[in-house]
């Protein structure tokens, strides 16, 4: 089993703990950092106080100098979370809760999908949109379900815009596609600023506050799994999912890239992703690859599975099978 | 030090004194910049939604122009190489114009990357040691590095050449290392830009080793073509006969590069259409259309037509030696390369997507006007540089003790 050996060696340290956050900010940030402290301090009455009150202005300064997620200390992450929650309050008038659940030890997530069962109703797509606070306008969807003629899995012959009302057609099969959480992700390589990386539990995540929007990751992804916020995301206030994660479904801004995170806000708390729960035919299997008793391991050990575009060399953790 | 102060002062004086047509031209360029700035403001306020880019085709006109200008910037330094390493003193005055073109083009190239960013306000994230710089893994980080180093190199070279002239040391024969550095830059710039596209398994149309040689050939067409035109325009304004030896040399380079470029296009077409692998699907879309979509088809055939016409014009000695025909050939060649880089290379790489979806792209007004704005900035930089450089090179303005 080739896929078993990989994750331990590929995972980066989650974050460098730094006790003296201010000093390190000064050291790393140089004059920019000092200027920020000066501005933030002078105008909002001290950076520490600013995190408690959090005016829109001091928050935007805090946002500007916010470090990349992996470099932040625990306190800095809490400050950032405070800013995110206040921003959501100001923008949507909703109290969201931003979690920061770390990867669980001994867990690497994997996905399997039974193509014999998928009927192409796209309920996974809808559930994903709701769960992950995806923009309704412009429309953003992480999952793309395509219709293929029986007898071929050639994606270039696939229909991306089939009519959900008429499924399933007898001579067709339906193939949902989403981020396959590669062990060798080309998107991570492509990003010039390390805004996206592979977590130890096998999820490729994005720091939306660090992304500068070059979209190189999108050009690099063989699975077309990444989405860009071309405009400010629009979500109706009463449809916002308030249970969020820093690296997952917290509200995004325009100009940054996002992608499927295996519903990190759920999976790291022992729940299935929304698409798995929503599938009416139970075609989706999700679980811990390192647990020999898990359902995903049963599928991998007993079904004839294959992976999409294996030749791209990305070593994805998303398997398809028929039974 | 006194000499340098007086040099700076004279440069400013030269830039601020001109005939009416100088100011008229600057006004036109400023208007172009204004229009571009207005549209870029819109892009900043509303987001990249004002472009016609999409999740399917996520790079378009901006990135294509970035590559095109990068090629011009790299190849424009070719006369410096000739002047230094081949001791061609007769082209050294023209070489300065080439450096000025290179400097303006590298500025434009960087700006095209900048306007393509979704979050330019976070650009500091890319500064090494302050932000996080994913070097050497990310190809964009290579691009940023090469562009910045080349910008400094051309800035220094322009300044050094002008200053030495100003002090009456004649057009200096630079040290050999400058020539060697220039060669490294030409190849390095073009290669890094090609790798930005060819480095992705996800895009079979780009994922070919011939892309870097193709970019090199294209650069040696568009760079010399631009300089040939620039030398004549500048010569005309200065009532000077344009530097004939330089133009002859450039025409020879362009002739060889045009042929080689055409050959490489042919080689690629063979690989695409004889084997019909996955890489051929984008080529099919480009040349013949796919599933009823074929917006790029007329563009690419016109481009190749122009390329063949340009080859015919520069290949025949009798035609090439008539300036007007050479100029037409240059214009045809520049247009050919530009279409080949934009409509013919960057866009079809995304069509169909890696998941087989065909989603077409044509630049939006905003993209076109922002591109014009960036072009105007480059032309403005070049105009002012040329305005300063010519009197100095021609010996009309000198340092007097």
């Amino acid at each position: 089993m080739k896929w078993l050996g990989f994750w331990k060696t590929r995972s980066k340290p989650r974050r460098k703990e730094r006790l003296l956050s201010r000093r390190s900010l000064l050291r790393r940030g140089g004059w920019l950092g000092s200027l920020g402290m000066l501005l933030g301090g002078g105008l909002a009455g001290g950076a520490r106080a600013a995190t408690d009150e959090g005016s829109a202005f001091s928050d935007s300064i805090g946002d500007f100098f916010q470090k990349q997620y992996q470099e932040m200390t625990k306190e800095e992450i809490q400050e950032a979370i405070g800013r995110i929650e206040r921003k959501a309050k100001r923008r949507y008038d909703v109290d969201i809760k931003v979690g920061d659940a770390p990867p669980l030890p001994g867990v690497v997530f994997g996905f399997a999908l039974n193509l014999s069962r998928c009927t192409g109703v796209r309920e996974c797509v809808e559930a994903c949109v709701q769960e992950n606070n995806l923009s309704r306008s412009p429309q953003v969807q992480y999952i793309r379900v395509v219709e293929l003629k029986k007898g071929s899995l050639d994606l270039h012959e696939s229909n991306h815009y089939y009519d959900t009302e008429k499924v399933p057609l007898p001579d067709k099969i339906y193939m949902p596609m989403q981020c396959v959480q590669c062990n060798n992700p080309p998107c991570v390589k492509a990003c010039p600023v390390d805004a996206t990386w592979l977590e130890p539990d096998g999820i490729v995540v994005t720091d939306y506050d660090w992304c500068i929007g070059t979209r190189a990751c999108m050009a690099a992804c063989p699975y077309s799994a990444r989405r860009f916020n071309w405009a400010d995301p629009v979500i109706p206030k009463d449809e916002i999912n308030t249970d969020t994660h820093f690296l997952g479904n917290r509200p995004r801004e325009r100009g940054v890239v996002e992608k499927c995170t295996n519903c990190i806000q759920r999976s790291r708390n022992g729940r299935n992703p929304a698409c798995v729960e929503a599938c009416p035919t139970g075609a989706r299997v999700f679980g811990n690859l390192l647990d020999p008793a898990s359902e995903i391991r049963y599928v991998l050990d007993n079904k004839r599975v294959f992976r999409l575009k294996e030749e791209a060399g990305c070593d994805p953790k998303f398997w398809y099978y028929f039974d | 030090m006194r000499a340098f102060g007086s040099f700076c002062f004279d440069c400013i004086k030269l830039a601020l004194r001109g005939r009416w047509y100088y100011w008229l031209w600057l006004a036109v360029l400023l208007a172009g910049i204004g229009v571009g700035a207005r549209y870029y403001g819109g892009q900043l306020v509303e987001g990249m939604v004002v472009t016609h880019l999409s999740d399917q085709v996520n790079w378009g006109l901006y990135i294509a122009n970035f590559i095109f200008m990068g090629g011009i910037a790299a190849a424009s330094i070719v006369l410096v190489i000739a002047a230094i390493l081949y001791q061609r003193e007769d082209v050294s005055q023209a070489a300065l114009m080439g450096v000025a073109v290179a400097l303006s083009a590298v500025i434009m190239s960087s700006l095209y990357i900048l306007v393509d960013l979704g979050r330019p306000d976070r650009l500091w994230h890319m500064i090494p040691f302050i932000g996080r710089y994913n070097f050497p893994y990310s190809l964009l980080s290579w691009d940023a590095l090469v562009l910045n180093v080349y910008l400094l190199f051309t800035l220094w070279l322009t300044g050094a050449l002008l200053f030495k002239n100003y002090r009456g040391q004649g057009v200096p024969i630079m040290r050999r290392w400058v020539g060697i550095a220039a060669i490294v830059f030409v190849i390095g710039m073009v290669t890094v830009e090609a790798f930005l596209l060819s480095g992705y398994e996800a895009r079979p149309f780009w994922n070919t080793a011939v892309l870097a040689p193709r970019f090199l050939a294209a650069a040696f067409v568009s760079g010399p073509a631009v300089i040939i035109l620039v030398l004549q325009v500048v010569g005309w304004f200065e009532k000077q006969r344009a530097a004939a030896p330089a133009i002859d040399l450039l025409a020879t380079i362009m002739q060889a590069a045009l042929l080689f470029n055409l050959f490489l296009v042919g080689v690629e077409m063979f690989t695409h259409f004889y084997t019909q692998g996955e890489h051929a699907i984008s080529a099919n879309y480009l040349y013949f259309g796919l599933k009823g979509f074929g917006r790029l088809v007329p563009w690419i055939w016109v481009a190749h037509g122009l390329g063949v016409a340009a080859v015919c014009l520069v290949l025949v000695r009798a035609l090439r030696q008539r300036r007007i025909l050479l100029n037409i050939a240059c214009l045809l060649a520049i247009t050919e390369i530009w279409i080949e880089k934009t409509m013919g290379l960057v866009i079809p790489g995304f069509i169909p997507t890696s998941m087989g979806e065909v989603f077409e792209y044509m630049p939006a007004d905003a993209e076109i006007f922002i591109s014009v704005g960036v072009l105007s900035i480059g032309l403005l930089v070049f105009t002012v540089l040329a305005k300063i450089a010519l009197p100095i090179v021609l010996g009309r303005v000198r340092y007097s003790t």
Side-chain angles (χ1 to χ4, degrees), chain B residues 105-239:
Chain B
V106 75
I107 289 173
M108 284 189 263
S109 200
S110 316
L111 287 174
Y112 278 121
I113 281 272
L114 194 69
V115 296
D116 188 65
L117 290 184
R119 296 301 300 248
D121 54 319
R122 295 179 182 168
L123 198 62
W124 72 269
H125 293 182
M126 238 180 133
I127 303 172
F129 306 111
I130 296 175
R132 271 179 82 116
Y133 194 53
N134 188 12
F135 189 82
Y137 298 104
S138 167
L139 292 162
L140 265 175
S141 70
W142 278 88
D143 266 305
L145 178 79
V146 171
L147 278 177
N148 280 307
V149 175
Y150 192 63
L151 178 66
L152 292 178
F153 179 71
T154 45
L155 260 177
W156 168 80
L157 198 54
T158 317
L161 284 171
L162 280 180
F163 187 49
K164 285 201 169 169
N165 261 285
Y166 181 73
R167 297 191 68 174
Q169 293 164 347
V171 177
I173 304 291
M174 305 289 289
R175 300 237 170 83
R176 277 182 76 83
W177 73 263
V178 179
I180 292 165
I183 291 183
V184 173
F185 271 122
V186 173
I187 297 174
M189 279 270 286
V190 170
T191 308
V192 165
E193 276 171 17
F195 284 0
L196 177 66
L197 299 187
S198 69
Y200 304 127
E201 171 71 33
R203 313 279 164 197
F205 185 65
W206 298 339
N207 192 215
T208 156
V210 85
L211 209 64
R214 244 187 97 176
F215 273 35
L216 203 60
F220 276 110
V221 174
S222 49
V226 167
I227 304 177
I228 289 176
L229 295 177
V230 159
L231 284 177
Q232 290 178 73
V233 171
V234 168
W236 185 67
F237 273 114
E238 287 294 318
K239 313 262 186 317

Side-chain angles (χ1 to χ4, degrees), chain A residues 84-103:
Chain A
I84 294 166
E85 289 175 347
R86 287 192 294 276
K87 251 190 296 178
K89 180 79 180 164
R90 280 194 286 270
R91 177 147 177 227
Y92 297 103
D93 193 25
V94 170
D95 290 304
I96 64 163
K97 194 183 104 356
V98 181
D100 178 36

Side-chain angles (χ1 to χ4, degrees), chain A residues 25 28-33 61-68 71 193 209-210 212, chain B residues 114 117 119-133:
Chain A
L25 179 70
R28 284 190 63 85
W31 66 272
L32 264 178
I61 286 174
D63 280 349
F64 185 82
F65 291 104
Q66 185 175 317
K67 287 192 269 180
Q68 199 251 22
E71 303 210 332
V193 295
D209 295 331
W210 192 256
I212 61 172
Chain B
L114 194 69
L117 290 184
R119 296 301 300 248
D121 54 319
R122 295 179 182 168
L123 198 62
W124 72 269
H125 293 182
M126 238 180 133
I127 303 172
F129 306 111
I130 296 175
R132 271 179 82 116
Y133 194 53

Side-chain angles (χ1 to χ4, degrees), chain B residues 59-73:
Chain B
W59 282 344
L61 191 61
Y62 298 149
I63 294 291
N65 281 337
F66 148 71
I67 289 168
F68 178 70
M69 284 304 167
I72 290 182

Side-chain angles (χ1 to χ4, degrees), chain A:
Chain A
M1 285 254 161
K2 183 191 164 207
W3 47 268
L4 264 176
F6 266 90
W7 19 84
K8 279 286 175 310
T9 53
R10 295 274 167 95
S11 51
K12 293 182 186 175
R14 181 173 144 78
R15 71 179 68 114
K16 293 168 198 155
E17 299 291 345
R18 284 216 178 77
L19 291 173
L20 298 169
S21 66
R22 278 188 192 205
R23 186 179 297 168
S24 75
L25 179 70
L26 271 173
R27 187 160 52 82
R28 284 190 63 85
W31 66 272
L32 264 178
S34 339
L35 185 70
M37 304 252 278
L38 212 72
L39 273 173
L43 293 161
R48 185 64 59 182
T51 57
D52 302 330
E53 299 146 22
S55 73
F57 182 73
S58 67
D59 276 1
S60 62
I61 286 174
D63 280 349
F64 185 82
F65 291 104
Q66 185 175 317
K67 287 192 269 180
Q68 199 251 22
Y69 179 81
Q70 290 166 299
E71 303 210 332
M72 281 195 277
T73 60
K74 284 214 165 88
E75 297 98 73
E76 283 169 332
I77 289 181
Q78 285 314 312
E79 286 171 20
I81 284 176
R83 288 195 292 272
I84 294 166
E85 289 175 347
R86 287 192 294 276
K87 251 190 296 178
K89 180 79 180 164
R90 280 194 286 270
R91 177 147 177 227
Y92 297 103
D93 193 25
V94 170
D95 290 304
I96 64 163
K97 194 183 104 356
V98 181
D100 178 36
L104 300 167
V107 173
V108 171
F109 293 116
F111 228 117
L113 200 147
N114 187 346
L115 288 171
S116 308
R117 285 207 191 159
C118 181
T119 53
V121 290
R122 288 196 176 119
E123 284 192 21
C124 50
V125 180
E126 188 49 38
C128 172
V129 169
Q130 299 280 344
E131 167 69 27
N132 287 304
N133 289 325
L134 299 189
S135 171
R136 315 302 203 263
S137 166
Q139 221 174 35
V140 176
Q141 295 172 349
Y142 290 165
I143 305 176
R144 175 66 65 93
V145 189
V146 296
E147 187 182 68
L148 291 156
K149 220 183 244 154
K150 276 183 181 163
S152 167
L153 284 178
D154 184 2
L155 289 171
H156 293 289
E157 297 301 320
S158 65
N159 180 2
H160 287 247
Y161 299 103
Y162 69 87
D163 186 356
T164 313
E165 301 293 312
K166 293 183 183 142
V167 296
L169 293 175
D171 57 335
K172 299 286 198 308
I173 63 167
Y174 299 88
M175 185 159 178
M177 300 180 296
Q178 62 206 63
C179 176
V180 294
Q181 318 290 355
C182 308
N183 279 321
N184 181 20
C187 52
V188 170
K189 247 192 331 193
C191 179
V193 295
D194 280 334
T196 185
W197 64 93
L198 178 64
E199 284 277 285
D201 55 357
I203 305 175
V204 178
V205 294
T206 312
D207 183 347
Y208 313 120
D209 295 331
W210 192 256
C211 172
I212 61 172
T214 65
R215 306 187 298 289
C217 55
M218 300 174 77
C221 178
Y223 298 90
S224 299
R226 294 185 151 257
R227 304 286 178 265
F228 186 72
N229 286 287
W230 298 98
D232 278 317
V234 175
I235 312 166
K237 182 191 157 187
D238 49 337
E239 288 182 27
I240 288 181
N241 178 5
T242 55
D243 177 25
T244 71
H245 191 284
F246 193 103
L247 300 172
N249 58 342
R250 66 179 164 107
R252 269 82 69 191
E253 290 174 41
R254 68 153 181 266
V256 301
V257 174
E258 56 177 280
K259 64 181 281 295
C260 163
T261 60
N262 280 348
C263 287
I264 198 167
Q265 66 280 359
R266 289 165 151 255
S267 52
R268 282 194 179 170
N269 292 317
R271 295 170 69 199
N272 266 329
C275 54
V276 177
E277 267 181 19
C279 181
T281 60
R284 288 167 175 269
V285 176
F286 178 77
N288 180 6
L289 292 169
L290 301 184
D291 174 10
S294 64
E295 194 186 352
I296 180 87
R297 281 291 291 274
Y298 177 83
V299 170
L300 295 181
D301 290 341
N302 294 288
K303 304 289 180 187
R304 300 295 176 261
V305 298
F306 72 94
R307 297 185 291 182
L308 207 58
K309 297 198 175 207
E310 246 177 343
E311 70 280 7
C314 310
D315 193 14
K317 295 190 291 291
F318 195 109
W319 289 266
Y320 293 94
Y321 64 104
F322 295 89
D323 67 357

